[in-house]
Structure formats: C-alpha cells, structure tokens
Amino acid sequence: MPLLNISPKETTIGFVGTGVMGRSMAGHLQAAGYRIAVYTRTPAKAQSLLDAGAVWKESIADLARDTQVIITMVGYPVDVEEIYLGEGGMLAAAAPGTVFVDMTSSRPDLAQRIESEAKAQGLHALDAPVSGGDIGARDATLSIMVGGEEAIFNQLRPLLEMMGKNVVYQGGAGSGQHTKICNQIAGAASVIGVCESMAYAKKSGLDPETVLQSISSGAAGSWSLTNLAPRVLQDDFAAGFYMKHFVKDLKIAVESAEAIGLNIPGTKLAKELYEKLEADGYGDLGTQALFKYYH
C-alpha cells in the first residue's frame, strides 16, 4: 500500500508522550509547519505545544483516527504495548496507510510484534529509539536508530531529520531497538567512568574542574564526560534522561543479551548500581546521579 503524501499541508502528526524529550521533539515538527495532535497522561507537559496550536486528544484511539503519522515517546515497554496493542489501542483505530514511529527505548521483540500486527492491518511501523537526552532533543541533534521497512524509512526520513542530525537505518523491525541496546551498553560503562573519575579527583584533593579541562580533550574524552561531568561537579542531578528509564534499558539489554547467548558482565554491574540507587529513591534524577553512589 502506497504511503500517504507527507507534507505540512497534507499531514497531521500525532504525538504520544511529551515529557523531557518528547515535548521538544514535537515542537520541532510544529515549528516546521506540521499540524500536531497530542495525547499524554499529564496534559500540563503538553501545554507549550497546545499554546502554539497543537490539538489535544482525549484518547489514543481518537488521536490515531485523526492523524496520518503517529510518533510515540513513552516510558516503558508495557506502555508501548498498551497504546499500540491494548484494548482501545492505536493499531485498531488507525486508518489504512497510517505510519507509526515508536521512538521509545523498548524491546526488539515488541517492535517486531508491532510491525507484524501493523502490516496485517494495512499500516506501517518503524522502531526509532533515540540518544542524546534533553539537550539533543532541544537542539534537534539526536541520534536516531531506525528499524523497519526501508522504503517507509526513506519516506519518513525528512521528518526524523527535523528531530535529529544522525539518522541511520539499521535494518528490519527491531533493529533500531537492538542498536539502542548497543548504545546503552556503551553509555553505561561511560557514565560509570565519569562518576568514578570525578569521585577520585575530589577524594585525591585535586580540583575536579581543572582535571576535567585536561582529560576531556584527551583519549578519555566522551559525550558523557563533556555533558555529564560538569553537571556532576555542579551538583546538578536533574534528569536529562531519567535514571529509572536507564534501569529499564539496562534490564532490556541484559535480557536481550541472554536471549542471544551473550554474557555482558559490565552492563550487569551498571544495572546493579543503578538499581540500588533507584531503590534509594533516586529514580527521577538523571543518569549522572550515579555519582551519589560514591559519596
């Protein structure tokens, strides 16, 4: 089935989930001239979009019926499953030809199931998780990892490039989620390194700001060191990416690795450290709050 003509004149984009990242991502599409319809469990989080002309929908089914492209950016795989496949879900309500793009960090097997169910109903589905946190969402510099049918990706690519600058097609359904797992595995080790490095700098009597000047441009340089270490040193633990969502991602990573017969002990360690902090009540802080483990 041919894809609908996607343009600001012809297309209304539905957006489900307007939290720390989703609000900025939807805002870029709105700024490009697209009509935006939104649904979120916390309406106040969508207020800036509504003030700029977005339309509020009372249910995900209403949103699915009235839009041609639907982007979802929610918290957990259980949320993804509910809004796509649950009673009153979007797949059942959408018109043939509707395109779904799940940008939540979720399970590869769920992405494959959603695409299969979508195809059976004359719909299209991509899994397109992102990396870059609140800063990347705000600046439209996200890395977007896409799985699904390549022809659909090619037609949606201009929309994705309004939200990110590194948009890469990875393969069939679930490939975007597998790639995000690779990202989180690498990121987990990086954040541990940043927090332990800054903890060591403080404990050894060095000036951590001066240490950061030296090591951020050397071989140890990384996105985490550049973006998270300064927050750590300013005791800024606000979420650019929630710790509780990172715990979710690391659980998915460990389970997915086990499913393919791969042992990932470093990621398991990171998962244990983050789970301890989440249990201590830090789940709504950012991933850089791992530094609290070393206090």
Side-chain angles (χ1 to χ4, degrees), residues 199-208:
Y200 183 89
K202 284 192 171 186
K203 191 73 171 178
S204 65
L206 295 170
D207 175 21

Side-chain angles (χ1 to χ4, degrees), residues 12-16 35-39 54-57 63 66-67:
T12 299
I13 299 175
F15 214 101
V16 182
R35 298 185 299 273
I36 301 293
V38 297
Y39 174 82
V55 176
W56 172 260
K57 294 296 181 180
L63 181 140
D66 297 336
T67 55

Side-chain angles (χ1 to χ4, degrees), residues 65-84:
R65 277 190 288 267
D66 297 336
T67 55
Q68 294 77 52
V69 175
I70 300 170
I71 296 172
T72 53
M73 186 67 170
V74 295
Y76 297 88
V78 65
D79 301 318
V80 174
E81 186 169 12
E82 178 183 354
I83 63 176
Y84 278 92

Side-chain angles (χ1 to χ4, degrees), residues 22 56 76 86 125 145 248 282 286:
W56 172 260
Y76 297 88
M145 319 154 208
K248 172 260 297 183
Y282 297 122

Side-chain angles (χ1 to χ4, degrees), residues 234-256:
Q234 294 162 17
D235 289 329
D236 176 6
F237 300 114
F241 183 68
Y242 287 114
M243 182 187 294
K244 62 186 179 184
H245 289 164
F246 201 39
V247 170
K248 172 260 297 183
D249 289 353
L250 296 178
K251 288 179 179 177
I252 292 172
V254 170
E255 291 169 0
S256 298

Side-chain angles (χ1 to χ4, degrees), residues 103-118:
M103 305 188 82
T104 313
S105 296
S106 184
R107 299 195 321 267
D109 62 319
L110 179 56
Q112 292 165 347
R113 181 183 167 199
I114 288 171
E115 193 214 36
S116 177
E117 295 280 348

Side-chain angles (χ1 to χ4, degrees), residues 141-159:
T141 57
L142 293 169
S143 178
I144 304 177
M145 319 154 208
V146 188
E149 190 176 341
E150 189 170 11
I152 305 304
F153 163 74
N154 288 334
Q155 294 196 56
L156 255 69
R157 183 169 192 149
L159 286 183

